[in-house]
Amino acid sequence: MLQFALWKRATIWALVLIGLALAMPNLFYERVERHNDAVQAIELRGAMPELVADRDAWPGWLPSGLVNLGLDLRGGAHLLAEVKVADVYADRMDALWPDVRDALRAVRDEVGPIRRADSPPAELHVNIARPEGMAAAIAAVREIARPTVTLTGVGSSDIEVRGAGDLLIVQLSEAERQATDNRTIQQSLEIVRRRVDEVGTREPTIQRQGADRILIQVPGIGSAEELKALIGTTARLTFHPVVSRTDNPNDAPGAGNVIYPSMDDAGVYYILERTPVVSGEELTDAQPAFDQNGLPSVTFRFNPAGARKFGRYTQENVGSPFAIVLDEEVISAPVIREAILGGSGQITGNFDVEESTQLAILLRAGALPAELVFLEERTIGPELGADSIAAGKIACIVAFVAVLFFMGASYGLFGIFANIALIVNVAMIFGLLSLIGATLTLPGIAGIVLTIGMAVDANVLVFERIREELKSARGPARAIELGYEKALSAILDANITTFITATILFTMGSGPVKGFAVTLGLGILTSVFTAIFVTRLMVVMWMERRRPKTITV
């Protein structure tokens, strides 16, 4: 068992070197972090001079993965947001109006002329000229209904249609409302996650709480206000035909129209058709750029369906103004000079570089389907994180020094071998944490401290077994061989049961419990590797070099 083939030795040392290399960037945390942030900024925003200043802060050929610091260590922002799911109902009704209009046109002889009337947000009201044709109108509109798709399968119709005098009323069914609520929350979760990921923030916590709330925790961001500015903007981009321009915000827009203010020109308002020609949901890309005058702008590109609608409308309305609306504000209302058939365009306005970059991020990530109302917000300062890191360092150092002293005093030279393996073990833990992008929290530090204490258990079992074999008057080589052979089963049994416990904690737990389980589980793997392979290889190499007649353990 003391015979190590050359390929085994090479494999063991290669794994050790890889672990040390992966852990090395954490010794230069701030420098590597600046490098990673600059590289990601270049990827997201283009190679602008002000964004590449720290690009060479860390050599690109070296590993650059870091252990992510959790909110309790790094500081950051905590938000609890409520999703206004009822806002989606109004959008559904607006989107349904063209289909309802077409369905009623098919029975125009029975219902007469139709006109959309003002209605509550969750309903669509249509006036029909001939109330006696209400039954035909209801039947025609019910033909466009679709089954509600839920997690449990296909349910009832998605709309309910009824009549009241000359008024046709369309609204979502109860089953469709519940399905819409669930879809809205899931879509909001995904869009918030994409927006946070777009700016390069690492390991955010974004999860649903209750029926209509989202918990957002982002380490490393400056403040809760900064996070709210990033994710709280709905960023709903739509393109509307312009009816007229006015200076009076109280002008009646008329049925089927809306009045929105200009973003750049104070006191200017536009009356627009309520139903957009094309919306931001059909965007496939948006990037910051500069217009022909060298001013910041945002270029965009539609998917094929959006490009067709955009091209067809601009072709049919050359010479007419066309409003680009962001969150119910008119960014610009240019006159269509010629048909735009390529499916791409440019948004200009009074942007600076940062604003155009953020708008591109928001458009690229997608529009929030509903408004977020922030119920709770906290900014966790970096001072708390620094104190926590300092306390964690002290705990690790104290545990480390105590274990090193105990092993050296108890087992002499063999204890020194175990201490070297312990240093390698801790480095490999950080290397694995960097490799998988795990988040280190205070409970995670507790797991590392516990691992430091447990890491030498395997070596203690081996060394005690070697002592017993030496008492039986066996030679040093045979005693070492039997010590490793007889201790192996006890080492594996003890660590496998602990690893199973860590796996259960990771699977069943959440948040801090998972952080503890990750470092504990990885620590067990590296501890077994360093005890069974690294320490034994060092003992074998020492034996081959010294060839002692007697040993003291």
Side-chain angles (χ1 to χ4, degrees), residues 64 81 178 195 198 225 227-228 277 312 338 351 387 392 394 414-415 417 472 502 533 548 553:
S64 58
Q178 293 179 5
R195 289 185 179 183
E198 281 274 13
E225 288 298 325
L227 181 58
K228 285 168 61 178
V277 173
R312 183 170 59 249
E338 58 184 6
F351 303 134
D387 292 343
I394 293 173
F414 280 60
F417 290 153
S472 302
F533 295 104
V553 179

Side-chain angles (χ1 to χ4, degrees), residues 374-446:
F374 296 101
L375 306 177
E376 179 184 339
E377 57 183 83
R378 293 202 306 270
T379 299
I380 300 175
E383 294 81 8
L384 175 62
D387 292 343
S388 301
I389 293 174
K393 285 181 178 178
I394 293 173
C396 289
I397 291 172
V398 170
F400 205 72
V401 171
V403 171
L404 293 180
F405 177 79
F406 171 80
M407 292 300 294
S410 299
Y411 300 105
L413 180 62
F414 280 60
I416 294 176
F417 290 153
N419 289 340
I420 295 173
L422 179 60
I423 295 172
V424 172
N425 178 26
V426 174
M428 292 187 73
I429 291 175
F430 278 93
L432 288 175
L433 289 173
S434 301
L435 180 64
I436 66 176
T439 300
L440 183 64
T441 59
L442 280 176
I445 292 180

Side-chain angles (χ1 to χ4, degrees), residues 321-342:
F322 192 53
I324 303 174
V325 179
L326 178 69
D327 291 339
E328 300 184 354
E329 285 188 309
V330 178
I331 298 178
S332 61
V335 175
I336 301 172
R337 301 298 182 187
E338 58 184 6
I340 305 174
L341 303 177

Side-chain angles (χ1 to χ4, degrees), residues 2 9 413 417 537-549:
L2 291 181
R9 300 186 185 205
L413 180 62
F417 290 153
L537 181 55
M538 287 190 290
V539 171
V540 169
M541 293 174 65
W542 175 77
M543 290 285 292
E544 290 176 346
R545 182 178 179 84
R546 296 293 184 180
R547 297 186 180 279
K549 300 298 182 181

Side-chain angles (χ1 to χ4, degrees), residues 10 36 39 69 160 189 208 272 348 404 412 451 475 480:
N36 292 343
V39 169
L69 299 182
E160 295 176 351
L189 278 170
R208 182 174 181 173
L272 314 174
T348 58
L404 293 180
T451 299
I480 293 173

Side-chain angles (χ1 to χ4, degrees), residues 13-29 32 36 58 61-68 424-438 522 526:
W13 290 127
L15 291 175
V16 170
L17 290 176
I18 291 173
L20 295 177
L22 291 173
M24 181 177 62
N26 294 285
L27 297 175
F28 310 93
Y29 193 95
V32 178
N36 292 343
W58 184 255
W61 55 271
L62 288 177
S64 58
L66 294 172
V67 176
N68 299 316
V424 172
N425 178 26
V426 174
M428 292 187 73
I429 291 175
F430 278 93
L432 288 175
L433 289 173
S434 301
L435 180 64
I436 66 176
L522 293 179
T526 56

